[in-house]
């Protein structure tokens, strides 16, 4: 257990942020100051139970705010930063790039400036131990063919506006280390799934669309491959890197769960057929739906759609002893059950469009009764 340290977490109301804040606060070793602009991707219900926690503070604000952010460093004197705030959805980045440049590039630069100014004024142990941990993505490496894995040695080759903006932010983080000596670490992780993920992302979208009898839109031929990691495993990796990682380095993180999109969607349907059978759901029963898989529809492909992501996590395992603990099938079941058990959260997150019906549906009531 580390000594109790105040840390600044950005984007703590998002998917990974919520899970990370819970881990850090729960560990007892951290006082967490969460700076979040509460964009569409944040859900006020996600951390509502921590509102009065003595080791948690929320600050609503934007990482691009050149007055607020330096003031937060002055006020809280953090031992480090976990930088997660970002625009994160590839499809949105294709429609409109601006927010991605503003938050991911300018926002990261603004945060680095404030961290650098603050760190420059620190002395001794506090200066030596300070760390700026930048949470990035494996998407900066572009797309793999059938063979091979991303590692810390893989050259950057981003293909979407999202991954380009994250790549730019990684380069600034690296440059602040190389040029000014700011202690920074970058983590490049594969696709996360689990509780609190906004319903526009693949796994929650498929779960919630299925339960509402909507089509399950699989892009292209469904042969694209993603390497999935349960979010709580990733949060443990982030904590491990913050506590024991080497400044100036990067760590790629993954759990070795490669799945083709179509196989994953079919697996979600199989689990849902078991956990919340369509025959028990009023509107789906009326439609004579036997399996959620009948809702699968192949749709037009995403432009610039990366074919395959896969991670070689040997370095973080060898150097820091981290390994994923949650198997993919177990994690997927936990995730499905979490969404079924958190209807208010879903409703809030999806402003009615995804969640309305779930509140009323029979499957959920049947599931609750079974438990
Ligand atoms: P998310 O979209 O769920 O949450 C992002 C959070 O950042 C939200 O709470 C939002 O309000 C906040 N935010 C956005 N712009 C902001 C700004 N300008 N100032 C302050 N706060 C702002 O994201 P996530 O999926 O939790 O991802 C977190 C980080 O992890 C991101 O940097 C992302 O690139 C990275 N990442 C995500 C995945 C994944 O599969 N989700 C995988 C690898 C890396
Ligand atoms: P996503 O969750 O958007 O993550 P990323 O694009 O960052 O990997 O998508 C995961 C995969 O699922 C990706 O290959 C695109 C695909 N996908 C679909 O086929 N249909 C969908 O509706 C969505 C949102 C994604």
């Amino acid at each position: 257990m580390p000594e109790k340290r105040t840390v600044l977490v950005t984007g703590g109301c998002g998917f990974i942020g919520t899970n990370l804040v819970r881990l850090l606060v729960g560990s007892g070793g951290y006082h967490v100051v969460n700076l979040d602009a509460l964009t569409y991707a944040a859900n006020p219900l996600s951390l509502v139970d921590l509102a009065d926690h003595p080791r948690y503070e929320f600050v609503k604000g934007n990482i691009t705010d050149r007055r607020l952010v330096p003031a937060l460093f002055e006020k809280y004197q953090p031992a480090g930063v976990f930088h997660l705030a970002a625009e994160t959805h590839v499809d949105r980045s294709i429609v409109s790039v601006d927010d991605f440049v503003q938050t991911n590039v300018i926002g990261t630069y603004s945060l680095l400036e404030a961290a650098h100014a603050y760190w420059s004024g620190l002395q001794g142990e506090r200066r030596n131990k300070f760390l700026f941990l930048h949470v990035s993505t494996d998407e900066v490496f572009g797309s793999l063919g059938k063979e091979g894995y991303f590692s810390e040695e893989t050259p950057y080759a981003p293909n979407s506006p999202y991954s380009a903006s994250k790549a730019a932010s990684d380069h600034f983080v690296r440059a602040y280390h190389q040029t000014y000596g700011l202690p920074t670490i970058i983590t490049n992780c594969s696709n996360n799934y689990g509780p609190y993920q906004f319903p526009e992302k693949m796994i929650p979208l498929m779960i919630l669309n299925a339960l509402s009898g909507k089509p399950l839109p699989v892009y292209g031929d469904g042969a694209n491959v993603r390497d999935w990691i349960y979010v709580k495993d990733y949060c443990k990796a982030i904590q491990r890197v913050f506590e024991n990682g080497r400044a100036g380095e990067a760590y790629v993180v993954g759990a070795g769960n490669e799945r083709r999109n179509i196989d994953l969607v079919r697996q979600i349907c199989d689990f849902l057929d078991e956990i919340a059978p369509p025959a028990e759901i009023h509107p789906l029963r009326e439609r004579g739906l036997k399996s959620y898989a009948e809702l699968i529809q192949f749709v037009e492909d995403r432009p610039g759609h990366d074919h395959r992501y896969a991670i070689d996590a040997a370095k973080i395992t060898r150097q820091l002893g981290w390994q994923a603990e949650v198997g993919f099938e177990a994690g997927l079941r936990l995730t499905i059950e979490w969404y079924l058990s958190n209807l208010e959260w879903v409703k809030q997150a999806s402003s009615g469009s995804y969640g309305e019906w779930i509140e009323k549906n029979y499957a959920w009531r049947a599931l609750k009764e079974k438990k």
Side-chain angles (χ1 to χ4, degrees):
M1 178 74 63
E3 76 267 27
K4 194 164 98 188
R5 293 185 278 184
T6 297
V7 290
L8 179 64
V9 174
T10 71
C13 296
F15 163 47
I16 300 174
T18 294
N19 285 283
L20 180 67
V21 167
R22 290 183 176 284
L23 177 70
L24 296 178
V25 170
S27 77
Y30 293 93
H31 179 105
V32 173
V33 179
N34 172 16
L35 171 64
D36 196 298
L38 298 183
T39 70
Y40 81 93
N43 191 324
L45 293 182
S46 296
L47 290 171
V48 74
D49 53 310
L50 291 189
D52 298 322
H53 197 289
R55 291 193 301 277
Y56 175 71
E57 256 171 277
F58 174 66
V59 179
K60 183 175 185 301
N62 201 299
I63 55 167
T64 57
D65 188 331
R66 300 294 291 271
R67 289 160 75 104
L68 172 69
V69 177
L72 292 179
F73 277 99
E74 269 317 298
K75 178 173 177 190
Y76 292 104
Q77 299 282 307
V81 178
F82 296 79
H83 175 35
L84 288 85
E87 288 293 332
T88 61
H89 192 40
V90 173
D91 292 340
R92 285 183 190 249
S93 82
I94 294 167
V95 175
S96 173
V97 184
D98 197 61
D99 287 347
F100 288 77
V101 174
Q102 283 304 323
T103 288
N104 300 0
V105 186
I106 313 277
T108 300
Y109 155 69
S110 305
L111 198 61
L112 283 165
E113 274 291 283
H116 177 218
Y118 163 73
W119 171 77
S120 300
L122 295 178
Q123 308 284 332
E125 275 288 274
R126 288 188 63 74
R127 181 183 168 92
N128 293 340
K129 286 197 166 167
F130 181 83
L131 186 68
F132 185 106
L133 198 165
H134 177 58
V135 175
S136 190
T137 166
D138 64 346
E139 302 192 26
V140 297
F141 302 125
S143 184
L144 291 166
K146 280 199 179 103
E147 307 288 323
Y149 296 91
F150 296 140
S151 77
E152 291 76 10
E153 313 308 321
T154 307
Y156 277 51
N159 290 321
S160 72
Y162 163 63
S163 54
S165 68
K166 290 297 289 187
S169 69
D170 290 13
H171 293 328
F172 275 107
V173 171
R174 180 190 153 89
Y176 270 69
H177 175 75
Q178 295 294 121
T179 306
Y180 307 115
L182 183 70
T184 63
I185 296 183
I186 300 171
T187 56
N188 298 100
C189 188
S190 62
N191 288 62
N192 280 235
Y193 69 100
Y196 301 103
Q197 187 165 33
F198 191 79
E200 67 190 351
K201 300 283 167 54
M202 154 80 132
I203 289 183
L205 181 136
M206 295 300 169
I207 296 169
L208 298 171
N209 273 22
L211 290 169
S212 57
K214 290 183 190 162
L216 309 181
V218 175
Y219 298 163
D221 61 2
N224 303 66
V225 173
R226 295 293 182 265
D227 187 353
W228 296 93
I229 181 170
Y230 192 60
V231 64
K232 293 184 188 187
D233 274 335
Y234 183 38
C235 290
K236 287 182 188 169
I238 293 175
Q239 184 180 356
R240 185 74 61 93
V241 167
F242 186 80
E243 290 171 4
N244 300 312
R246 295 184 192 157
E249 298 203 5
Y251 297 86
V252 303
V253 187
N257 295 311
E258 285 185 58
R259 294 289 185 282
R260 293 193 316 157
N261 289 339
I262 183 61
D263 297 332
L264 171 54
V265 174
R266 288 204 179 108
Q267 177 138 51
I268 292 170
C269 292
D270 285 350
F271 283 171
L272 279 172
D273 285 346
E274 209 182 285
I275 297 170
E280 289 178 22
I281 298 184
H282 169 57
L284 303 183
R285 187 180 51 220
E286 256 74 298
R287 280 164 54 180
L289 203 74
K290 299 261 180 319
S291 164
Y292 292 102
E294 293 165 41
L295 298 169
I296 293 174
Q297 282 183 11
F298 290 94
V299 299
E300 204 174 317
D301 208 354
R302 171 190 280 173
H305 196 175
D306 285 335
H307 177 65
R308 174 172 166 257
Y309 303 146
I311 292 282
D312 173 2
K315 175 179 171 180
I316 188 170
T317 303
R318 193 179 59 245
Q319 209 185 83
L320 305 181
W322 174 88
Q323 259 185 318
E325 292 163 17
V326 181
F328 187 64
E329 279 67 29
L332 197 54
R333 279 182 189 275
L334 285 173
T335 304
I336 290 172
E337 278 160 11
W338 187 87
Y339 280 95
L340 284 166
S341 307
N342 287 276
L343 303 179
E344 275 307 311
W345 187 95
V346 170
K347 194 173 164 193
Q348 175 83 33
S350 44
S351 323
S353 55
Y354 291 112
E356 259 172 25
W357 79 274
I358 301 177
E359 214 189 3
K360 309 175 205 132
N361 86 63
Y362 294 150
W364 169 235
R365 281 205 283 271
L367 182 74
K368 260 186 166 168
E369 280 155 18
K370 265 187 227 158
K371 274 190 174 170

